[in-house]
Amino acid sequence: MATSRRRTRYLLAVLASASSPVAAQTATTTPPVQEDRGAEKPAAPAETAPTTTAAPAQGWSDTISYALQFEGSVAFNPANPGDHLNFGHEFSDRANRPLFNQALATIARPVGTGPDWDVGFNLQGLFGTDARYTPTIGLLDGTFKGRYQVVLTQANVVVHAPVLTSGGIDFKIGLAPGAMGFEGTDPATRPLYTLSYITNFMVPFQTVGVIATAHVNNTLDIYAGIDAGNEVLPGKSDNNGEPAGYLGIGLNHLLNDRLTILAMTRIGPENSLRVFANANRKQRYWNDITATFKASDRTTLVGEANYIRDDGLDASAFGFAGYVMHKQSDAVTFNMRAEVMRDSQGAFAVGFGSDTAFTNGIIGKPDIFVVAPPTTYGEIAAGLAWKPTQLNGKSVAVTIRPEVRYERSLNGTRPYNQLTDRDQFIFGGDLIVGF
């Protein structure tokens, strides 16, 4: 029995800086890690000049856009777990508790795609409960410790260089969203309120570094980048002191402009030196491929496959998620996601039992984590997005997204509701208001 306890403590410690921990109980111990993705808001379109007058030339500052967006939500769990935790969730993690997820402020300027040099930027900050899961260690991560926190999700400069290839090369320099994965931090860019297991546990969130996109031709893009690691600043804030980086390709305008494919791989150490003395030499391998197919003018299909391997944890996981998005009318879209994820050693899927657990998981500090044994997770979610363009005769930017979600362990383990149930039922949704 003593041997079993020692092994459990060791495995939990091993998780301290990975995307999650290993064991079969709620524990106060060393932590896991997590990541983030996000899509940038497009610049606001320029106003159309009267047909009788030539449109004035736009200056650099005329193409800067400003946006402010708010999101609130609730995720009801009929099992009403005593720890108020929806296991396997991040942004929708608190059961039966209303959340103010985000106040998201964005200032951005896109770069051109033509034959001239151009410079743009993205600056985005987030206040709310979602900030607990989107930190960058060393950058505002100590400003708040409660449920509501403040983070920067983007702070980068983008340079378009018309060199080497027909479409030139774009360089994004600074703090930017992770380059792989389908779902983003900005709720307006994803079809459903809740996030997939792949998004929560198997793709990076923010990185600080440089990523280059070479537009080889109208069909092929090539990606390469280097950064400090997942959700850390270079220098003392890096949990291990070694860099990581991306390689990938994008295929565009396939099948008469109906299919796009993005395949990305990422390699680098992500574990904390607080937990592993040799963390700098233990690599994590992230691999993701996302295909988007426009089946018709109203229906879009997306498939995402992912495989992750961590040498420090001696653990791997893989998963697949499929999406159907059908636009019923200008105001209503029906969305569905089905997913299977295999956490082969129980080292990636986790519940964060406190408001600081996610950040401490990256750093390698003790906190409260709910960890489960090796599990094959199945999940299906369905919802609709209602986006009325006018209310009471006034233009609005409002989205209401009710959602029903069912999750189940497909191999008999009990990861849900304080490790007592094979399945978990969630219904709720969110409200997004933009300006």
Side-chain angles (χ1 to χ4, degrees), residues 4-138:
S4 176
R5 289 198 188 99
R6 286 197 298 270
R7 183 174 183 274
T8 297
R9 290 181 186 136
Y10 170 75
L11 288 173
L12 286 167
V14 162
L15 289 164
S17 63
S19 285
S20 338
V22 190
Q25 59 184 10
T26 302
T28 302
T29 179
T30 45
V33 208
Q34 264 309 318
E35 348 332 336
D36 176 48
R37 310 98 300 223
E40 300 160 12
K41 279 188 170 295
E47 294 182 3
T48 304
T51 55
T52 56
T53 306
Q58 286 187 317
W60 188 87
S61 62
D62 294 329
T63 56
I64 296 175
S65 65
Y66 306 86
L68 183 61
Q69 180 177 275
F70 300 94
E71 181 197 18
S73 71
V74 66
F76 293 107
N77 184 334
N80 195 25
D83 58 1
H84 309 295
L85 185 68
N86 294 323
F87 179 83
H89 290 232
E90 290 184 359
F91 296 167
S92 51
D93 63 340
R94 299 305 174 196
N96 308 321
R97 297 288 191 274
L99 298 176
F100 175 59
N101 295 84
Q102 297 186 13
L104 188 69
T106 307
I107 305 174
R109 183 192 183 275
V111 293
T113 58
D116 299 322
W117 287 79
D118 199 8
V119 178
F121 67 90
N122 299 281
L123 181 62
Q124 187 177 74
L126 186 156
F127 169 79
T129 58
D130 288 359
R132 296 169 300 150
Y133 293 107
T134 56
T136 297
I137 305 304

Side-chain angles (χ1 to χ4, degrees), residues 224-247:
I226 186 170
D227 55 68
N230 181 57
E231 296 184 295
V232 295
L233 283 178
K236 293 182 179 180
S237 297
D238 190 348
N239 57 3
N240 55 55
E242 291 294 321
Y246 287 101
L247 286 172

Side-chain angles (χ1 to χ4, degrees), residues 112-188:
T113 58
D116 299 322
W117 287 79
D118 199 8
V119 178
F121 67 90
N122 299 281
L123 181 62
Q124 187 177 74
L126 186 156
F127 169 79
T129 58
D130 288 359
R132 296 169 300 150
Y133 293 107
T134 56
T136 297
I137 305 304
L139 185 64
L140 301 179
D141 59 292
T143 54
F144 294 86
K145 296 297 185 182
R147 185 157 299 174
Y148 295 94
Q149 300 179 20
V150 173
V151 295
L152 280 176
T153 53
Q154 294 200 63
N156 57 72
V157 172
V158 185
V159 178
H160 173 67
V163 297
L164 298 181
T165 67
S166 63
I169 303 175
D170 294 336
F171 298 91
K172 184 175 288 187
I173 307 161
L175 171 65
M180 60 174 59
F182 174 62
E183 297 176 344
T185 301
D186 181 349

Side-chain angles (χ1 to χ4, degrees), residues 11 26 35 55 88 214 220 227 255 275 309 370 384 414:
L11 288 173
T26 302
E35 348 332 336
L220 176 64
D227 55 68
L255 298 182
V275 180
R309 165 74 191 175
V370 180
L384 64 84
R414 297 178 179 273

Side-chain angles (χ1 to χ4, degrees), residues 16 117 131 173 184 223 259 270 279 284 394 429:
W117 287 79
I173 307 161
Y223 301 86
L259 176 66
E270 297 291 351
R284 184 179 298 177
K394 296 182 178 180

Side-chain angles (χ1 to χ4, degrees), residues 24 87 342-343 372-377 408-416 419-423:
F87 179 83
R342 173 61 183 172
D343 189 359
T375 297
T376 302
Y377 298 91
R408 185 174 178 83
S409 164
L410 302 181
N411 66 325
T413 60
R414 297 178 179 273
Y416 302 110
L419 306 178
T420 62
D421 291 336
R422 285 189 61 184
D423 54 10

